[in-house]
Amino acid sequence: MMQGLGKALLFDIDGTLANTDPLHLKAFNQVLGPRGHTFDHARFSRELQGFANVSIGERFLPDETLERRAEILGEKEQVFRTLVAGQIEPLPGLMALLDRADAAGVPMVAVTNAPRLNAELLLSGLGIAHRFKTLVIGDELPHGKPHPLPYLEGLRFVGASAAASVAFEDSRSGVQSATAAGIPTIGIRTSLGDADLVGAGAVASASAFDDPALLSRLARAMAW
């Protein structure tokens, strides 16, 4: 395939493939609560959802060393992985969409700010790790979301055109990242509403992957 001519589907993981945000909220409160930071759903969606742990540490643990911030947020991820074990369910319609993309030969990429351990746990827990041509981890790049680099890396890996591809995101920072990379982005309403997602740059939103309007939009975009 010539670079830049292909189509691709690019997916965030947390809150997009599965609704894991309530478990992240619980884990953040368990670890940051004793340090003076507690979060309700609205504050979580504004200040934590979709952000990399480095920036979360800078904001909420400013008096700690970089090493200690990493340890504390590592504790949070361990709590999350314990909570999520055995509780991972795909969003409605996800498996059928992945089957459709595979049958049409459209490559799929996972793009996340989550730590690699979390991302791999979720993909393997859903039984879909093999579906993705690559897994892009924002923390392993010079810039994570909301910078466009993670999505640009995903496109580069599969030789896809941004304009011909579609991304799926559930957070403001994720939508901003994908749209800044030039990818038409569908907001998934697991945590945020249509106004927030479209306000961040999404071309439309859907409650899940079985949304009829989403499926007809994809059929047009992917020509399947």
Side-chain angles (χ1 to χ4, degrees), residues 58 123 161 200 210 213:
E58 286 172 0
L123 293 178
S161 153
D210 56 357

Side-chain angles (χ1 to χ4, degrees), residues 112-206:
T112 182
N113 267 355
R116 183 169 287 276
L117 265 178
N118 288 26
E120 290 176 347
L121 171 75
L122 283 167
L123 293 178
S124 62
L126 290 167
I128 58 174
H130 64 288
R131 303 277 201 154
F132 297 96
K133 300 294 186 189
T134 191
L135 169 59
V136 180
I137 305 290
D139 272 356
E140 296 175 1
L141 298 172
H143 303 284
K145 304 174 191 179
H147 194 281
L149 183 60
Y151 276 99
L152 293 172
E153 277 294 293
L155 291 170
R156 183 186 65 77
F157 191 89
V158 293
S161 153
S165 298
V166 176
F168 301 93
E169 272 285 356
D170 71 307
S171 69
R172 293 179 186 89
S173 66
V175 170
Q176 289 162 0
S177 173
T179 56
I183 307 169
T185 303
I186 307 293
I188 301 297
R189 299 192 301 267
T190 46
S191 287
L192 299 177
D194 179 77
D196 282 323
L197 292 162
V198 171
V203 295
S205 75

Side-chain angles (χ1 to χ4, degrees), residues 20 28 33 45 49 56 59 79 85-86 92 104 107 126 129 148-149 156 159 169 180:
T20 50
F28 272 119
S45 72
Q49 184 196 30
I56 292 171
R59 180 163 186 180
V79 170
L126 290 167
L149 183 60
R156 183 186 65 77
E169 272 285 356

